[in-house]
Amino acid sequence: MFFNTFSWKEFLLRKIISLLTVLLLVVGCENNKKSLEPITPEDFLIIAHRGASAYAPEHTIPAYEIAQQADADYIEIDLQMTKDGVLVAMHDEKVDRTTDGVGFVIEYSLEELKQLNAGRWYNSANPGLANKEFEDLKVPTLQEIFSHFGNDVNYYIEMKSPKIYKKMEEKLVSLLIQYNLIRANGELPKVIVESFNEDSLTRLHQLEPKLPLIQLFYFKEEATLSVQHYNRLSNFASGIGVNISSVDNDFIQEVQLNGFQVYLYSINNEIEMKKALNLQANGAFTNNPDMGISVRTEFEK
Ligand code: G3P
Ligand code: CA
């Protein structure tokens, strides 16, 4: 009995402290941008993580095409850069995992990178999903992706290793201008750019203030952001991306009350997708955009 009473009081105290913290953070943030509007399921964006990477080799044209066919709101593209300064779609700094080559992308010219096979590894790793079409895939450049999809998809682009790539931000902005992608597509921005690297996002903001930017975080334990964090973010960011394992409702509400969107990564099953929708985040990265869309549709009913 005593234990139950104590737990109840402790619960109440924790709730009050958590509410006061939210209040203090919101009041304390000098650059608080806007008041909280409810997130409806329709507002919840499904972002195809590395394309529909559950069904095709990540960061290849077929992976993006499957995401487009699934009606994903965005295709996610991780960027690396070749020795001769060409932006290419690849998650890792090294080519080893997703091609038949070895070494760092920065050690390859585009011509050399194009000799590598970017699909056979997937067929070997996923015999049940293997497809002959994947046998001859190459690493796509960002320009090839823009030429292929043009206005037909929205792009969520990650600056992967900007510290090692000279003028990566300038090259990205120049391509976005060339393809007229810095604009809205209905209510959504055509392009969103994300990075764990604050310096890179700050540079992008200087180059093109209209580009929506997302600061990525990974929290091993419970996600927390200080007033100083919020004030820094308000200089360049529209939102944050964060691992779902670290967040709860209070954190998401606090971030949104401070005027920032919250995107959760990476969510590859229905239970987690429902959790993300219940958390009222602004969207989620998933390897299975078809699953994301169907869970969202069910949630809307
Ligand atoms: O962009 C969010 C998420 O993609 C970050 O993780 O390692 O898959 O790029 P990663
Ligand atoms: Ca990514």
Side-chain angles (χ1 to χ4, degrees), residues 49 76 78 91 158 160 194:
H49 184 238
E76 194 225 8
D78 292 314
H91 178 272
E158 180 173 354
K160 246 329 177 189
E194 54 171 340

